[in-house]
């Protein structure tokens, strides 16, 4: 009897197994298609200029490891200087967003003050405002302040909670924290600031980690604003330095360019690799889909 009962069950499992195998094969094929440009760039970093655009595959027959050395020392300054410059800008932006956006989010989520809803709506509207609209008045302002060719235009605004997306993300996270914790802290004699630093802020680790990761990636890959404010070669960031490999006359060092592009991507991959757990928790607990 047990064998007769097991026969239809095993037959029913086969279509599910086949469908599951088909889905995995489709996902693997899609992943290969999506990763192909990165794999091609990695392969091109080991090719000569003549082979880069002559060969469309990702298999490398003749390795040219000198592209990394040529790219590292191919500009006026070593490429390590540009990595340090981008790291300084990203670290300052992360510190500014974590401090200012968390405080602004706590005010919108917990405090009561006049025009709270109006100011929150205005803050949300700024998310839809392109940065190209404000880049000209900001450039004039920073130019008069003598901040051109410094990292201040990319760092100081972050301490003023200018990234409304992160403020909104943290507001949604704080609203999910029970207000009973605030009441208990108030009974213990904590004011708003101590409640924020000792109760709310320790519980915001997933949202803070998400903010830090996104800020790092967006700041590290930012090209437009850094190209506007950083024109001296000694303060170039990584995106601006990579642009320097491209010659307007057509004599471009593609091999060193791709080699340094691979080097520039390593910190981004590391950020997602070590922070994906916090990133998933931060997004899933804020109600943002």
């Amino acid at each position: 009897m047990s064998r007769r009962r097991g026969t239809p069950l095993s037959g029913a499992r086969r279509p599910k197994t086949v469908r599951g195998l088909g889905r995995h094969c489709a996902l693997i094929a899609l992943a290969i298609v999506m990763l192909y440009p990165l794999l091609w760039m990695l392969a091109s970093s080991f090719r000569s200029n003549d082979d880069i655009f002559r060969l469309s595959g990702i298999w490398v027959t003749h390795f040219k490891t000198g592209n990394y050395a040529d790219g590292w020392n191919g500009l006026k300054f070593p490429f390590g200087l540009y990595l340090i410059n981008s790291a300084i800008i990203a670290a300052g932006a992360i510190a500014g967003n974590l401090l200012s956006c968390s405080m602004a989010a706590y005010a919108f989520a917990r405090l009561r003050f006049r025009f709270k809803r109006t100011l929150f709506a205005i803050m949300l509207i700024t998310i839809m405002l392109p940065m190209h609209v404000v880049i000209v008045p900001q450039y004039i302002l920073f130019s008069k302040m003598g901040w051109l060719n410094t990292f201040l235009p990319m760092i100081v605004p972050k301490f003023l909670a200018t990234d409304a997306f992160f403020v909104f993300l943290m507001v949604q996270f704080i609203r999910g924290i029970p207000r009973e914790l605030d009441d208990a802290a108030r009974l213990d004699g904590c004011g708003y600031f101590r409640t924020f630093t000792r109760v709310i802020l320790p519980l915001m680790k997933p949202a803070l980690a998400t903010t830090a990761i996104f800020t790092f990636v967006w700041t590290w890959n930012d090209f437009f604003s850094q190209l506007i404010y950083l024109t001296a070669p000694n303060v170039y960031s990584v995106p601006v330095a990579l642009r320097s490999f491209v010659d307007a006359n057509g004599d471009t060092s593609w091999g060193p360019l791709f080699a340094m592009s691979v080097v520039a991507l390593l910190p981004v991959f590391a950020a997602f690799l070590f922070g994906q757990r916090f990133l998933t928790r931060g997004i899933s607990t804020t109600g943002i889909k």
Side-chain angles (χ1 to χ4, degrees), residues 60-71:
V60 182
T61 55
H62 303 285
F63 281 87
K64 184 181 179 182
T65 57
N67 286 334
Y68 285 86
D70 295 340

Side-chain angles (χ1 to χ4, degrees), residues 87-97 154-156 158-159 215:
I88 294 174
I89 298 173
I94 291 173
N97 275 343
M154 281 75 67
I155 296 177
V156 173
K158 304 298 182 181
F159 285 88
T215 301

Side-chain angles (χ1 to χ4, degrees), residues 185-251:
R186 194 172 296 109
L187 290 176
D188 290 338
C190 295
Y192 289 117
F193 183 75
R194 292 181 63 187
T195 302
F196 169 68
T197 56
R198 297 192 177 186
V199 178
I200 302 298
L201 199 60
L203 298 175
M204 292 177 57
K205 290 181 180 179
L208 295 175
T210 302
T211 300
I213 294 172
F214 276 120
T215 301
F216 172 77
V217 174
W218 292 349
T219 305
W220 187 270
N221 294 328
D222 181 25
F223 173 74
F224 182 73
S225 61
Q226 296 173 10
L227 178 66
I228 295 296
Y229 297 119
L230 305 178
T231 58
N234 62 314
V235 293
Y236 277 177
S237 62
V238 169
V240 181
L242 291 176
R243 177 61 179 81
S244 301
F245 282 101
V246 180
D247 190 357
N249 296 324
D251 188 15

Side-chain angles (χ1 to χ4, degrees), residues 16 24 55 57 103 129 146 186 191 205 249 273 285:
K16 293 182 179 180
H24 282 82
L55 303 175
M103 296 178 67
L129 189 66
R186 194 172 296 109
K205 290 181 180 179
N249 296 324
L273 180 63
T285 52

Side-chain angles (χ1 to χ4, degrees), residues 13-229:
R13 289 174 182 173
R14 290 177 183 175
K16 293 182 179 180
T17 304
V18 173
R19 287 196 297 268
L21 182 61
R23 293 194 189 99
H24 282 82
C25 292
L27 290 175
I28 292 174
L30 182 61
I32 293 175
V33 172
M34 294 180 63
L35 291 176
Y36 178 81
L38 295 177
L39 297 176
W40 183 84
M41 182 180 68
L42 177 62
S44 299
S45 66
F46 293 100
R47 291 171 175 166
S48 62
N49 281 355
D50 296 335
D51 293 338
I52 287 177
F53 296 104
R54 184 175 60 86
L55 303 175
S56 59
I58 59 176
W59 184 260
V60 182
T61 55
H62 303 285
F63 281 87
K64 184 181 179 182
T65 57
N67 286 334
Y68 285 86
D70 295 340
W72 190 269
N73 301 306
L75 300 178
K76 187 174 182 180
F77 296 94
F79 200 80
L81 175 64
Y82 310 127
L83 293 173
I84 295 175
N85 292 342
S86 289
I88 294 174
I89 298 173
I94 291 173
N97 275 343
L98 292 180
L99 178 64
S100 62
C101 293
S102 61
M103 296 178 67
Y106 176 72
F108 281 122
R110 286 294 198 259
L111 305 186
R112 295 181 180 179
F113 52 90
R114 296 182 61 184
F115 307 112
K116 174 181 174 180
R117 293 185 176 181
T118 303
L119 293 175
F120 187 72
I122 294 175
M123 188 245 346
L124 293 179
I125 292 175
T126 60
I127 299 179
M128 299 179 288
L129 189 66
M131 65 169 297
H132 308 83
V133 176
V134 298
I135 194 68
V136 173
Q138 284 182 351
Y139 181 86
I140 296 174
L141 175 64
F142 295 145
S143 177
K144 292 183 178 181
M145 297 175 66
W147 287 6
L148 299 183
N149 285 320
T150 66
F151 304 144
L152 297 178
M154 281 75 67
I155 296 177
V156 173
K158 304 298 182 181
F159 285 88
L160 304 177
T162 55
D163 285 338
F165 172 78
F166 298 121
V167 177
F168 175 71
L169 183 143
M170 293 185 186
V171 167
Q172 295 297 102
F173 189 91
I174 295 175
R175 286 175 177 174
I177 299 176
R179 287 184 175 269
E180 287 77 6
L181 298 177
D182 298 47
D183 298 335
R186 194 172 296 109
L187 290 176
D188 290 338
C190 295
Y192 289 117
F193 183 75
R194 292 181 63 187
T195 302
F196 169 68
T197 56
R198 297 192 177 186
V199 178
I200 302 298
L201 199 60
L203 298 175
M204 292 177 57
K205 290 181 180 179
L208 295 175
T210 302
T211 300
I213 294 172
F214 276 120
T215 301
F216 172 77
V217 174
W218 292 349
T219 305
W220 187 270
N221 294 328
D222 181 25
F223 173 74
F224 182 73
S225 61
Q226 296 173 10
L227 178 66
I228 295 296
Y229 297 119

